[in-house]
Amino acid sequence: MDKSYMLGIDIGSGGCKITIVDKNGNVAATAFKEYPTDYPHTGWAEQHPATWYEALRQNLKNTVDKNRIDPRLIASIAVGAATHTLVLMGSNNEVLRPAILWRDKRTIAQVEALRSSHGKEILDETLHMVNVNWTLPYLVWIREKEPQVWKKAKTILMPKDYIRFRLTGDLATDWMDAHGTMLFNVSDRKWSQKVCDIAQIPMGLLPTVYPPEKIIGSLSSSAARELGLVQGTPVVIGTTDQAAEAFGAGAIESGQGIIKLATAGNVAIVTDGPHPNPPRVYAYYHILPSKWYTLAGTISCAVCYRWLRDALCQHEVSASRDNEMNAFELMDRMAGRVPVGCEGLIFHPHLQGAIWDPYLKANFFGVTSRHGRAHFVRAVLEGVAFSLYSCVREIEKLGVAIDDFRIIGGGAASPLWRQIVCDVMGKSLIHPQIEDSSFGTALVGGLGVGLFASVAEAVRTCVNITDSIQPSQDNHAKYARLFKVYEKVSQDLSDASRLLHRTLEENDRSSQVPAKTV
């Protein structure tokens, strides 16, 4: 039997996406299932890992039979996910607490302490500046704030590793996710004893590290029953969504760039070596051992549009039930009627702070009585584009050459948003036929089981470009003038955001009722 299908699984920040791909790069089936995020306190963001697995189960249940996929033809399974998110496991491989998401901001105090005491040492080991979006400070926070949980901890995993554990029973990770923990010695490609000693993290908590394409095990009988797949199907280690997305979009040569419109957004350029300049620009491994990504990002990207939908666009949600267009398409249609620049309304997309400043808050600036709901919708699209343009400028300051951009992510499905990003950048964009990380993750699995002899062969065989988007230079000039206002307001927001953060903390403390003594 010719096993020609590759199953790629992406555990995203907002939901699980699966893509089943044949060995020629054709998508045989795909599915997506949202899951909730909990925000129990200001700045916190958590999810329950069991919801990831349940979303995967429902995706497969609704997809394999519907598309008449013979599970026996699936040659490989690979899982990808966002990095930094922490899953803490106990001695019986049970999940000890909800997963702390990479966009959680509870660790500001721990970050400041680590920066002041050992910031340079950690940067030298990991190429990362200590920040709230990394796994290291989350571990320190649990050790300090939840000692009873900490005592039970036996293993840490990232989201893709937890799902793969549910598939095979193995406890492991790949180089890219290990690097994202801020516990990894980058030059030696091994866990850093120095950083673990600094943070009082036992080395025994850390899983074994492998290349992303390595076959780590096979699908267990229990997982096969639960998911409707075949016991013994090879499962590879997998990798981060960023690495998988670049692979799936064909960004494998130096100078090729990615603009990502997903829950978070980023700009990533393939380079021959690392070019870190924290806290704005970071270096990560590429799936090719000889390459790197130079990356700058915005924490809140497509999640801003989802927030706007839920907060202000319930009319479009209701209308979509009786319409062939979904709520986001209806919002796009409304935003398309607003002039470029929203008549001076500017949005800063810092719903969960910024990588370089966790205190920053989102805002709409320039509101007048002229602005209606449609202006706010378009302002969100433009504000995210401005934040990504700021990322490009930070990377260019380092002398990194950018030859082209591929626009990917769920937000890239919007023609209006693609054009806005193109106009803000003032450069043409390439739109791959398939631009989500589950597709690239599927290719990682195919690479692992030998369906492709190399990364380059996989790209030649499977990656197709649908169109090239050209900018309006007139719109670019208008956006360039507004971008100066966007940047000025961003700078002015810093002090005000810190003041607001302190004020909210004081209000929280004053509202706490002391416990009664008996």
Side-chain angles (χ1 to χ4, degrees), residues 157-180:
L157 294 177
M158 278 53 77
K160 78 165 195 316
D161 304 320
Y162 170 77
I163 292 297
R164 199 188 56 254
F165 161 74
R166 294 288 300 266
L167 300 181
T168 68
D170 75 90
L171 299 171
T173 194
D174 75 307
W175 292 326
M176 289 77 160
D177 249 339
H179 186 192

Side-chain angles (χ1 to χ4, degrees), residues 246 249-260 266-271 286 293-294 392 395-396 400-408 421-422 425-432 459 463 465 467-470:
I252 61 173
E253 300 291 341
S254 297
Q256 294 180 330
I258 296 289
I259 294 177
K260 178 180 177 181
N266 64 51
V267 176
I269 312 300
V270 181
T271 53
H286 192 282
Y293 304 110
T294 297
V392 170
I395 291 173
E396 289 179 332
V400 173
I402 304 175
D403 297 332
D404 60 45
F405 284 120
R406 289 156 170 78
I407 188 164
I408 65 170
V421 172
C422 185
M425 299 295 168
K427 296 182 179 181
S428 60
L429 301 180
I430 298 169
H431 188 215
V459 169
V463 178
I465 304 300
D467 64 331
S468 178
I469 308 156
Q470 301 303 316

Side-chain angles (χ1 to χ4, degrees), residues 464-494:
N464 296 299
I465 304 300
T466 55
D467 64 331
S468 178
I469 308 156
Q470 301 303 316
S472 161
Q473 293 303 327
D474 180 58
N475 289 348
H476 177 64
K478 293 176 181 177
Y479 281 133
R481 289 188 285 270
L482 284 168
F483 180 73
K484 294 179 181 178
V485 181
Y486 173 92
E487 289 279 82
K488 180 64 171 66
V489 175
S490 291
Q491 296 165 8
D492 294 344
L493 277 173
S494 182

Side-chain angles (χ1 to χ4, degrees), residues 183-501:
L183 293 163
F184 202 61
N185 182 295
V186 176
S187 59
D188 294 339
R189 293 197 181 225
K190 66 179 185 180
W191 295 113
S192 171
Q193 183 70 61
K194 179 180 289 187
V195 176
C196 286
D197 289 345
I198 287 170
Q200 301 175 48
I201 307 296
M203 291 282 283
L205 288 180
L206 307 177
T208 306
V209 183
Y210 295 104
E213 71 277 12
K214 178 181 174 59
I215 299 174
I216 189 64
S218 59
L219 193 66
S220 69
S221 59
S222 59
R225 286 194 304 272
E226 291 166 351
L227 302 178
L229 300 177
V230 175
Q231 180 182 353
T233 304
V235 180
V236 305
I237 284 288
T239 190
T240 65
D241 55 359
Q242 181 66 46
E245 286 157 353
F247 183 16
I252 61 173
E253 300 291 341
S254 297
Q256 294 180 330
I258 296 289
I259 294 177
K260 178 180 177 181
L261 296 176
T263 299
N266 64 51
V267 176
I269 312 300
V270 181
T271 53
D272 292 326
H275 295 272
N277 188 30
R280 294 297 296 269
V281 181
Y282 290 87
Y284 285 98
Y285 297 126
H286 192 282
I287 196 167
L288 287 167
S290 62
K291 300 292 184 183
W292 290 73
Y293 304 110
T294 297
L295 181 147
T298 181
I299 295 173
S300 300
C301 181
V303 70
C304 295
Y305 216 33
R306 181 172 168 179
W307 163 79
L308 189 75
R309 177 199 68 183
D310 296 342
L312 298 178
C313 295
Q314 285 304 301
H315 173 76
E316 283 66 35
V317 173
S318 298
S320 69
R321 299 189 184 107
D322 302 314
N323 197 304
E324 293 183 357
M325 303 174 73
N326 64 39
F328 292 122
E329 291 171 323
L330 293 172
M331 291 163 65
D332 281 1
R333 187 167 65 180
M334 180 167 50
R337 295 193 290 265
V338 175
V340 167
C342 294
E343 299 182 287
L345 182 64
I346 296 175
F347 175 68
H348 292 84
H350 305 308
L351 289 177
Q352 292 286 329
I355 292 172
W356 64 95
D357 185 351
Y359 296 97
L360 280 179
K361 304 290 188 292
N363 74 92
F364 289 95
F365 175 78
V367 183
T368 69
S369 57
R370 183 175 181 81
H371 294 120
R373 200 161 59 97
H375 289 82
F376 285 84
V377 175
R378 186 181 182 103
V380 168
L381 300 178
E382 292 183 343
V384 169
F386 282 148
S387 70
L388 293 169
Y389 185 49
S390 180
C391 293
V392 170
R393 288 163 63 92
E394 291 295 326
I395 291 173
E396 289 179 332
K397 288 177 185 177
L398 303 177
V400 173
I402 304 175
D403 297 332
D404 60 45
F405 284 120
R406 289 156 170 78
I407 188 164
I408 65 170
S414 163
L416 175 63
W417 209 353
R418 292 199 304 265
Q419 190 63 55
I420 287 172
V421 172
C422 185
D423 290 346
V424 168
M425 299 295 168
K427 296 182 179 181
S428 60
L429 301 180
I430 298 169
H431 188 215
Q433 182 180 20
I434 308 167
E435 20 69 6
D436 67 83
S437 62
S438 61
F439 176 75
T441 301
L443 299 189
V444 174
L447 190 66
V449 299
L451 292 182
F452 312 108
S454 66
V455 168
E457 181 186 317
V459 169
R460 285 195 304 270
T461 303
C462 299
V463 178
N464 296 299
I465 304 300
T466 55
D467 64 331
S468 178
I469 308 156
Q470 301 303 316
S472 161
Q473 293 303 327
D474 180 58
N475 289 348
H476 177 64
K478 293 176 181 177
Y479 281 133
R481 289 188 285 270
L482 284 168
F483 180 73
K484 294 179 181 178
V485 181
Y486 173 92
E487 289 279 82
K488 180 64 171 66
V489 175
S490 291
Q491 296 165 8
D492 294 344
L493 277 173
S494 182
D495 289 343
S497 295
R498 281 172 167 75
L499 177 60
L500 177 59
H501 180 83

